[in-house]
Amino acid sequence: MIEYLDFFNVYIMGSIEMFMGFCFFTGFLQKKGKTIYGILFAAFGMSVLTILDLQGILAFLVFIILLMATGKLLYRADFVSAALYAVVTVEIMNLCFGLTNSLSYMLVPIVFVKNPKIFGFIFMVAGNTLALVLALLCYRGIEKSCTCDGIVDRKYMFVILMPALLIFLASEYINENIYGNTMTGEKDGMMFGANPYQMLLMQVLGIASLFCILFSYKKLTESFKRNKEAELLEVQAYSLHQYVEEAKLRYEKTKSFRHDIKNHITVVKELLQNKNTEAALQYVEGMENLTADISFPVSTNHPIVDILLGNKLGIAEENQIEVQCSLAVPYPCGISDIDFCIILGNALDNAVSACSRISDGKQKYIHVSGKVQGDFLLMEIENSYSGRREIRSGTGLANIRAAVEKYQGAMEIRTEDNKFVLSILLIIPRQSESTSQQAG
């Protein structure tokens, strides 16, 4: 009977613990873990522990290392996130089993004298089941309220990892030295030299402290993210102001040129009539230089967008990136200038950044296209990229999405081989709304 209990307690429950830990570890990493992978992980983990005959803290350390290796190699997670969530996964399991151990030893004296064998069996099965249920609830709580979007910042890793490790070591010390295989008990079933109520309180405080650490870190990360987004918007607003000022300057030059164009034509006409061809050609060349100052390198029919695209695509060309633009935008337009700046500015910044990571000798390009169809403005920014990096929704894409949603639009991201495509659909407001948008 004892052999069967040991088999159940060590192998069956151990496999369930590893499988559950694997499932929620992948959930913390925001990955989709397949059931078959979890089964294989549990089988492999139990085989390693059995072969090496590891118990206690060494077994938990091997569990952490296996989770980290799985996250890094199988799901390509960054090392920092894999290490943090592996420790949290194992620590939650450890704390929940310690908590049920405390509850069990609080109840042992009540029933110990009646039938120790039967109640010992019941306590073991019920305690393991309760520990798994508590771990499940804790995992769910952390997954929903305490996990951070994106990659854990290396700079702040030790802010949460070191306290988490301290709680883990303290709980493991309690489990191994108080509830270990060689626990000493009195005749009435009470533990010798230990107070289960104190142990229970320490385990509960350990779980609560871990939740507080993770929740506080999440709020801190969100605060940093909002500050970064605010700084980015300030930079974009400044850039938009510069684009508007440049557009006004070109507009004034254009008005001046139009005002003087009759005089220029008259001068050229008289030079040709006097058969002074060389002077006429020199005068026309001077006019070409003048028109170059007032013309836009990109023509979309929208002066602000022209300046923006000319600036961004000019930077791309300086970095040996092939550029093409076939975008047509109505002007005036119900879409505000600053929203155009946010959408196209972020999209082109991301495209230039992606192209810069491509090895020399490979094709680098950015193609911008779009047109109006009815009440819809369709835009597409296509660029080459290495294909090795996972696409994550960073601040730039988040700002684009927020601007698109203001116009009840939609945004789609596609990757094909070494090509990245950002498609954007905007609903153009009616003319009455257009005027208010431009005034704003």
Side-chain angles (χ1 to χ4, degrees), residues 205-254:
L205 289 177
I207 294 175
S209 298
L210 185 61
F211 268 86
C212 290
I213 291 170
L214 293 174
F215 185 76
S216 299
Y217 178 75
K218 179 183 179 181
K219 292 301 181 182
L220 183 64
T221 302
E222 290 175 350
S223 176
F224 287 149
K225 184 178 179 181
R226 286 193 295 268
N227 290 339
K228 185 176 180 181
E229 291 174 353
E231 292 175 0
L232 181 60
L233 287 175
E234 289 181 4
V235 172
Q236 290 174 341
Y238 175 78
S239 299
L240 177 61
H241 177 73
Q242 296 297 107
Y243 298 146
V244 171
E245 291 301 317
E246 185 174 347
K248 289 180 179 179
L249 180 61
R250 288 176 182 265
Y251 178 72
E252 293 299 325
K253 289 183 177 180
T254 302

Side-chain angles (χ1 to χ4, degrees), residues 99-120:
L99 192 148
T100 56
N101 283 334
S102 298
L103 289 174
S104 297
Y105 285 111
M106 289 167 57
L107 298 175
V108 159
I110 302 175
V111 297
F112 183 80
V113 295
K114 296 181 180 180
N115 195 325
K117 292 184 178 180
I118 294 177
F119 283 102

Side-chain angles (χ1 to χ4, degrees), residues 407-420:
Y407 301 93
Q408 291 76 48
M411 182 182 86
E412 180 188 21
I413 295 174
R414 303 193 312 275
T415 55
E416 304 170 7
D417 297 329
N418 294 326
K419 178 174 68 175
F420 177 90

